[in-house]
Each structure stands twice: as structure tokens, then as C-alpha cells.
Amino acid sequence: MLLLLAFVNGSFFKPAFFLQLVTNGLSNGAIYAAMALTVVIIYKTTGHLNFAQGEMATFAAFVVYVLTAEQHFNIWIALPVVVVLSMAAGAGLERFLIRPVESRSNLAVVIVTLGLFLLLNALTAVIWGTQPKTGLRPFPGGIHDQITVLKGPPQFAIGYGAIGTWAVLIGVVIAISVLLNKTKLGLGYRAVAANRESAQLVGIPVSRMLMLGWALSTGIGSIGGVLVSQSSGTLDFNLMGSVLIYGFAAAALGGFDSIRGAIVGGLIVGLAEALLPNLFTFVGSELSLAMALVIILAVLLVRPQGLFGTARVLRV
Amino acid sequence: MALLEVQGLRAGYGPVAVLHGLDFEIPEHDIVVLLGANGAGKTTTLRALSGMLPASGAARIDGQSILGLSADRVCARGIAHVPQGRGTFNELTVIENLEAGAYLRRDTAAVKADIDRWCEVFPVLGQRRTQAAGQLSGGEQQMLAVARALMSEPRLLLLDEPSLGLAPLVTRGLFERLAEINASAGTTMFIVEQNANLALDIAKYAYVLEAGLIALQGPAADLASDDDVRKAYLGF
Amino acid sequence: MNLPVVVERHSRAHRVWQAVGYALVAAAILLIAYTQPSYQLLNFSKVAAFAVAILGINIVTGYSGQISLGHSAFFGIGAYTTAYLVADKGWPFLATLPIAALLGLAIGFAVGLPALRIQGLYLALVTLAIAAVFPVVVKMDALANITGGSNGKPVAIDWTKPRWFSLDITNEAWEFLVVALIAAALFLVASNLIRSRVGRAIIAVRDNPIGAVTSGVSLSQWKTGAFAVSAVYGAIAGSLFTMVIPIVSPDSVGLALAFQLITGLVLGGLGTISGSLVGGLAMVFLPYYTAQYSGGKSLLFFDPVDSGLLANVVYGALLIGAMFVMPGGIVSFVRSVRNRLVRFAPQPPATPTQAKGTA
């Protein structure tokens, strides 16, 4: 441990710098949390991982682009429309693409989602080209669109984009919580997640619950795609590639079947991504993705249920 | 007309046929027991009735056919199935389990009243209302599963080996409650059991299943005193 | 003649059938070497390399049942090994093959051991993440000397036909022959492995782990072993590929390759040996034909499309469609047709009268 101190970056400890990193980390973390939510919501009821979630989000973001940049709708009209469309698409995917092959094997579902990844990724590029477009701006994102907390130098400012991202995430979390914990639909969903057979026996329409899970997941994913576009300032067909991996890392850390875990995991991953490269000089920022992999590996090897997940014993 | 009428019931898993044509009926307000060794097809019978397994033949409740319906539709027709191994929603609280049982009902006030009623009938549930079902003991979970099934106000209650894994004293308590519920509310029950002392005590009629066919049937008291049955299923 | 003709495994008829099959493959290789133009020889060499890679994935996913989506990383390790040793250390390129294999073996074990503790879907996630991270690691500044960083590492490979080789074929044909022969040898090894006790143990582990354990099969040994062997195949494939296409770059051994390998795997036939060859053909010729089709032409009302992207759209659609229509891949379809003509039945068990005993 003492040896590590030799590699610590000195400027890390300047308050403004540190706070800026934390803010950025939490801002990205909010997006990772949203993506982790999409992973968990589907996993809870179906036990599947949707590897195509990122590409579906990218596609949705492009549709928003078309509606706003080309058809000139206001983004706050386009966004809800696209969210609803995404939810319908997600439900349809579950019913017609995933459910028929579910009975074959787990591997078959993995392959279908991988195929979907390939298809959507390439299709996005075929339809809209490979040149990046300017990022979507649900929130004002200019250089001066921020709240300056510390004048600096170095400056510590919180962008409106970051504030908006948090607001959206908080809104999503509240909406999901209310839906799952206070409504009958949510009770049905959680029952299916707990024990699918028993849920059938008490009359819960399991098919509809599975579709609901995918619909929620895809809807949240499309919101995530738009937020990523704002945060990165760009929009291209590889937008969500690495974001999804961070989402998986967050879901693993929090526990694949824990909604609370997805939020906490996402924020931690975001913070780690922001802080670690700047704390230790030998960790370059391009290695963030490797950090995500290390997190996934470490969690699965040491404590597979993550921080908040339920432990299921399957050992031979 | 009996509440449940079954003729020529056949069911299986893929190419393996388990039930080879069952004929039986369950009169309303009665408790009927299905005995049989492991592998005879008892669980298969219940699953065929509750819509968890495709089956052929005929099965009618209140004169309406239930074969070919999905499990949630069968539940809507008034059949509640307590599966083997309890099948409680372990991540949900006791109350939520009961609410889930009433999923198809719309009368929220009556549902609340029923939850209170079952918490009285099974006091241990009342004590642990807000605890997760997974924290309950085996016997408590069994009672929760029964209460949950009763929440849907079923015409027919199917119970798959409710005594499995329970201590004898707990089992006795459970069956006493079942008898009380049958006596007071008139709920018809179809109980599947392997070791069936207590079940035969509270039942009116019994069938014995062997290798997918009904081998024996008769009033419960008669079967309880039948030597062959006693040796095979009652342990003495 | 009654169809289907039933042939007992390991009988003489069966051996003849197999020998004919091998002879056909050998003849095809020679035919290609003699008749194909240079650019097609290049394609076929690539097919051989990819087929070996897919065979590796088949060993670990198809036969041993552990989902590994990250074989592009093993491929990349082999590719960079050969590139580095030839370009920086001046090794003769064929000599790098065993080194790549050894490296693959070591890393295969290193991955296979923790893989024991990670179940199915999670293993898929981890291996996918490995595939995504590998190019990132390669691009690291610290390794730029070895890997050439983002620009990749070009290599000079000399495939001049040696003087002692008497057949009158071009240098490219000689290149194809060598690569095809190495691949064929690897296929033979894998085929014998699967049919042997080793193979049966691996399959037992996949189909019924609990049963396998109670039969005395050591799960961890076989599963790790399968992983290690598959990594060896992946690394050799990467090494061979670099010998054919003498440049490695991080993006050529990343997620895109991982997905293409899986597509080849599924299209060819998961859990089959011959399917790996079919998969290799699909991986090379599908983009080739989509390039011919699209080549600058507009697709409906979209702008002229990069052929690689179009290939990916087709790959994606095929992957999904295969799960519905042909989950066993092309090979299973061909086999079901063949089974109407010729069927291979297992040997009947030895009857007591056949056992010789002393009076």
C-alpha cells in the first residue's frame, strides 16, 4: 500500500479539482445507474442479460435526433414519444424474439441478443452513416450553462447538463419505485421475479409481466442513450458500446437482481472511473474500460451476489 | 354433479407419459385425498389440473372444461394450487404474498379484510406480517402458501404434499386448520400425500394412484383400515 | 436399397466413409491450390485460420458447455505474438507458431481456472468484457513498443516457395497449402480428441455435471483443460492469420471479431467439428459477397454503404434467424438430410456369447 502512495497524483487533493471529479463521476454514475437498472429489471424476471440494450438505446437516440434535428420537434416532446415507442419495441422483442427461443437454452437467448447487437449497430450506421452528429441537448450544454461554485482556478462548476441528468435519474428511480412497490402491476412483476411458477398459480399473467420488464428496461435505456449523447456531446453508432459495459459492471457490483444495487453500483462505478485515473498516475483514462472488467471479475469471483443481490447457490 | 369431474386424464413430460387415463370426481365441500408412491404421478395430476402441464382427456369444474387453459385462466375459474415445496414468494413480505394471492380480485376492501382474517386463522402469519416470506420456517411458509391460495376465494383447493419437510406436530396443526376451514367455509380440497395418516383422518374419500392409473378408491375410513393400503402408504 | 442405410460406427463401412471424407478434403485443398487465383487463395487461407479459431470455441462452448464469447482475445494474443517475434526479433515466422500456442495454453489456463467459479451467463458476460477490453489494453502507451499502439504492427512475411518443393504452384498457393495443412492437422487432433475418452469426459461434463462428478470425472480438470485447449487453437489461428494478412491492429482483434467468430460458430454448427470449417467459410465469403453486392451502390434510399457494415447487418439477422430456423447450424441441416440416406448407429453392446472365457 505504501508503494502506491508514490504514484499518487498531487493535484488530486486540491478541493476544487476533487469536487469537480466527484461531480463528473456522479454525473456519469447516474447514467451507469440507469443502464444498470435496465440490466436488473430484465434479469429479475427472466434471468437473461440483454446484450443488445446499448444498441437499442443508440437507435432510440438517433430517432430522437431525427425528430428534433430534422423534423424540428422540441426534444421534450420527442423524448416521451420515443420512450413510449421503445417500450413497445421492448415488449415486442420479448414476446417474439426472446420467448420462442427461451425454451431451447440459455445460450440461444444470448446468441439472439448478440445478433440483435450486431444488427442494430450496423443498421444504425447504414441508415444514418458513420459520421458523428452533434450531441442531443435536452438540457442547455453550453460552456456557460453551469453553476459556478468555486471561482478557482481551478474552477468547480456544475453544468446544467449534470443537474438535469441527476434530475432525470431521480425521476426514473421514483417512478420505478412507485410502480414496483405501490401498484398491483408492480406486485405482479415482483412475484414473477420471486417465483415464476407460483405467480402463474395465483393467476398473474406471467407473459405480460415479462413483456413489462423488457418494456421498462428499453424505455429507460432510450432515456440513457439521450443522456449519454448530451454528456459526450456527440451521437454516433458506437455511442453506447462502452457505456453498456459500465452498466454491467454496476449491475454486477450492486447485485444483478437488486434495483437498489443498480443505483448504488452505478454511482460507485462512476466515481471510480472519475477518481482512479486521476489518483494514481499509472492508471491512464483509457484503461477505464479495463477497470470495469476488473470490477465484474472481482465481484463474480469473490461475492457473486454483489452488494445487495440475493445469493443463489448453484454449485457442482 | 360433482364440483370437479375428470375423465380419461392423460399427461406427461415430452415423450414420457405419466398419467394413462384417470377417472375421478370431487364432490363439492368434500376433502378428497390422492395417495401414491413417488413417481406414481400425483404431482403430475395436480399440475395437469391447474394448467401447468398440457393434458388430454376431460376435466370440468362447475361443468366448464379447464383442460387447455393457461394456469392464470384456470385460477380465474376457481382452482387454487398450493405447489409442492410451498412456493412462497420469498422476497416479498407475508402481506404481499397474500395480496399476490388475491391478484385476480377487484374488491380491495374485502381483500384487506381477508388478509386480516387469515392472519387470525394462522396467528404466526399475523405476527410476521411485514417480514419477508423467506425468513419464515418451513411450517410457517406452508401456512402462508395455503392462506395465499385461499385468498383467491377458490372453489377448489389443490394441495401437493403439504406435510413434506414438516415436523409431525406442525403437520398435525396444519391439517387441523384445513379441516376447520373445510368445515366452516365449505372449501373443497383435493390433497395429494405420500405418507397420509393425517390426510385420511380429515378426508371423506380417497384414491390410490399407481403408475399413472387409479388402482383403488373408496371412503377414506375404509382405505385407512385396508391392510394393503396401511402397509404401503401409512407406514404400518 | 432401403433408405436410410444404417451403418454401424467403427465398422469397416464406417471407416471407409470416413476415409473417403478425408480424401475429399485433401483433394479439395490440392484443387484450390492449383486452380484458384491469388486473391481467392488469400481468402481460402483466411478461411483456414478462422476455421481453427471457431474450432477452438466449439471445444469450449459446444463440447464443454462453457459459454466463451471472448476468443478474439486469444486470437489477438497469437496474432501479436507472431507479429512481435517476426518484426522485432527477426524470427522465422513458422517458428512463432509453437510460441503462440504455448502462450495461448498459459493464458487459457489462467482464464479457465477462475472460469470454474463463474456460471454460464456470467461467464458469457466476463468473456465478452475481456473481448472488449483486449484492444484497449493493446493500445496502452506502456505496451506501444511491443504492439505498435493504435496503428497496429505491420510484419514482413516471406512466403517464397522453398526450393525443395517440387510441385509447380505459385507462392500464394504454397502459402495456402501450408496454412491448410496446419489447419487440417489441428482438425484431425480435435476430431480424435472428441471421439476419445477425453472427449466423452468433456461432453459428460457439459450435459450432466452432477452425473459426471458422481462417475468420478473431475469437473475442474476437464473444464479448465477444455478452456486451455480452445485458447491454444485461438492463438494458433491468430498467428496463422497474421502470416496471411501481415498486419495486426487493435481494432481487428476486438469485439467485431468476437461477434464474427460467434456468427461463424452458430452458422456452421455449434458442437460440431465440420461446422467450424463451414463457419470459417461464412466469415470470409459473406463479407466478400456483400462487398460485391453493395460496392458503392445505394441500398434502397440509403447512402452508399460500407460493405463491412452491410455484412454485419446480415450476420446479425442470420444469428437471430438461425436460433429460430437452424439452431444447429448448417451442418445439422445437412446431417438431417444425410440421415435420410445414410445413418450412423452406435455399436450394439457386446453380448455375453461374444465374451470368450476359458472352460
Side-chain angles (χ1 to χ4, degrees), chain A residues 1 4 17 29 69 76-77 87 95 100 112-113 118 140 156 176 187 190-191 203 234 238 259 263 268 282 310:
Chain A
M1 278 306 281
L4 280 177
F17 187 60
W76 288 103
I77 298 182
M87 291 177 69
R95 177 71 185 77
V112 168
T113 58
L118 258 184
F156 170 44
I176 295 290
L187 180 68
R190 285 186 298 133
T234 179
N238 282 322
I259 302 229
I263 313 294
I268 294 181
F282 62 79
T310 51

Side-chain angles (χ1 to χ4, degrees), chain C residues 115-310:
Chain C
L116 288 175
R117 298 189 52 180
I118 304 181
Q119 284 299 326
L121 194 56
Y122 300 132
L123 188 60
L125 174 61
V126 168
T127 51
L128 197 65
I130 291 178
V133 166
F134 182 76
V136 167
V137 168
V138 160
K139 283 191 228 181
M140 264 173 68
D141 289 332
L143 294 176
N145 282 339
I146 305 180
T147 64
S150 305
N151 295 326
K153 203 171 187 69
V155 182
I157 303 234
D158 182 11
W159 277 105
T160 325
K161 200 173 62 178
R163 268 169 297 152
W164 53 264
F165 194 70
S166 48
L167 292 180
D168 177 27
I169 55 174
T170 62
N171 286 335
E172 285 86 4
W174 161 248
E175 172 181 351
F176 166 72
L177 263 185
V178 172
V179 171
L181 245 68
I182 297 178
L186 288 169
F187 264 77
L188 213 58
V189 168
S191 168
N192 285 333
L193 203 68
I194 295 293
R195 292 190 222 281
S196 71
R197 282 182 66 200
V198 174
R200 288 199 291 276
I202 293 179
I203 296 175
V205 163
R206 172 194 74 190
D207 286 340
N208 192 347
I210 300 180
V213 168
T214 53
S215 301
V217 175
S218 162
L219 273 188
S220 41
Q221 273 181 15
W222 290 120
K223 284 173 93 162
T224 329
F227 229 107
V229 169
S230 80
V232 169
Y233 273 68
I236 292 181
S239 175
L240 283 176
F241 193 83
T242 307
M243 297 179 200
V244 172
I245 308 281
I247 177 168
V248 204
S249 67
D251 294 323
S252 69
V253 291
L255 262 188
L257 178 65
F259 281 130
Q260 284 157 5
L261 285 172
I262 294 176
T263 308
L265 173 74
V266 169
L267 286 180
L270 184 65
T272 66
I273 307 251
S274 41
S276 315
L277 178 59
V278 175
L281 285 166
M283 273 184 73
V284 172
F285 287 108
L286 209 151
Y288 176 76
Y289 286 119
T290 58
Q292 298 227 304
Y293 170 79
S294 74
K297 279 186 285 183
S298 303
L299 182 69
L300 297 181
F301 47 86
F302 301 132
D303 287 332
V305 147
D306 175 64
S307 69
L309 290 173
L310 197 58

Side-chain angles (χ1 to χ4, degrees), chain C residues 81-97:
Chain C
T81 303
T82 296
Y84 172 69
L85 286 176
V86 173
D88 290 4
K89 299 290 181 189
W91 281 43
F93 57 91
L94 281 176
T96 65
L97 209 53

Side-chain angles (χ1 to χ4, degrees), chain B residues 152-166:
Chain B
S152 64
E153 297 185 309
R155 303 274 289 133
L156 173 63
L157 186 65
L158 305 176
L159 294 113
D160 196 343
E161 296 203 44
S163 67
L164 195 64
L166 298 191

Side-chain angles (χ1 to χ4, degrees), chain A residues 181 184-185 187-206 208-209 257 310 312, chain B residues 47 50 52 71-72 75 79-83 86-92 96 99-106 148:
Chain A
N181 293 318
K184 197 168 196 174
L185 203 62
L187 180 68
Y189 170 86
R190 285 186 298 133
V192 170
N195 190 324
R196 203 193 276 202
E197 253 205 23
S198 292
Q200 281 180 285
L201 293 176
V202 296
I204 296 176
V206 170
R208 263 183 255 163
M209 291 302 151
D257 60 353
T310 51
R312 276 159 216 239
Chain B
R47 297 187 68 184
S50 63
M52 298 293 294
D72 47 297
C75 184
I79 294 185
H81 180 172
V82 181
R86 275 92 66 184
T88 47
F89 300 120
N90 288 338
E91 285 93 49
L92 271 52
E96 286 173 332
E99 286 172 348
Y103 196 83
L104 293 176
R105 287 169 63 178
R106 312 227 167 199
R148 181 186 69 189

Side-chain angles (χ1 to χ4, degrees), chain A residues 251-257 299-300 302-312:
Chain A
L253 185 59
F256 279 101
D257 60 353
V299 167
L300 287 179
V302 173
R303 191 186 152 94
Q305 71 269 34
L307 294 172
F308 297 101
T310 51
R312 276 159 216 239

Side-chain angles (χ1 to χ4, degrees), chain A residues 27-247:
Chain A
S27 177
N28 280 338
I31 296 179
Y32 301 149
M35 296 314 290
L37 256 184
T38 69
V39 171
V40 168
I41 290 179
I42 288 184
Y43 185 81
K44 268 177 86 81
T45 42
T46 64
H48 297 312
L49 294 178
N50 179 10
F51 289 109
Q53 186 61 68
E55 307 314 299
M56 291 161 74
T58 308
F59 198 89
F62 267 96
V63 175
V64 172
Y65 171 83
V66 166
L67 289 177
T68 54
E70 292 177 15
Q71 304 298 332
H72 303 296
F73 285 105
N74 182 302
I75 192 170
W76 288 103
I77 298 182
L79 192 50
V81 167
V82 172
V83 168
V84 169
L85 286 177
S86 302
M87 291 177 69
L93 266 176
E94 195 283 323
R95 177 71 185 77
F96 295 113
L97 236 50
I98 303 292
R99 191 106 53 88
V101 298
E102 225 183 1
S103 42
R104 279 194 219 275
S105 67
N106 264 343
L107 184 59
V109 175
V110 169
I111 290 177
V112 168
T113 58
L114 287 181
L116 209 53
F117 181 116
L118 258 184
L119 178 65
L120 283 176
N121 179 281
L123 195 62
T124 307
V126 164
I127 300 180
W128 287 291
T130 55
Q131 287 293 87
K133 320 257 184 251
T134 42
L136 298 170
R137 287 243 188 122
F139 306 108
I143 303 184
H144 298 292
D145 289 316
Q146 58 189 12
I147 301 177
T148 314
V149 179
L150 294 175
K151 278 237 170 72
Q155 193 191 49
F156 170 44
I158 308 182
Y160 289 161
I163 298 177
T165 302
W166 287 328
V168 167
L169 180 69
I170 292 176
V172 166
V173 170
I174 292 180
I176 295 290
S177 292
V178 166
L179 176 70
L180 291 185
N181 293 318
K182 306 275 188 225
T183 66
K184 197 168 196 174
L185 203 62
L187 180 68
Y189 170 86
R190 285 186 298 133
V192 170
N195 190 324
R196 203 193 276 202
E197 253 205 23
S198 292
Q200 281 180 285
L201 293 176
V202 296
I204 296 176
V206 170
S207 166
R208 263 183 255 163
M209 291 302 151
L210 298 179
M211 289 165 68
L212 175 68
W214 275 70
L216 288 175
S217 171
T218 313
I220 298 177
S222 57
I223 297 177
V226 171
L227 291 176
V228 169
S229 179
Q230 155 116 46
S231 146
S232 66
T234 179
L235 177 65
D236 73 74
F237 70 111
N238 282 322
L239 185 72
M240 296 294 281
S242 34
V243 176
L244 185 63
I245 304 239
Y246 289 119

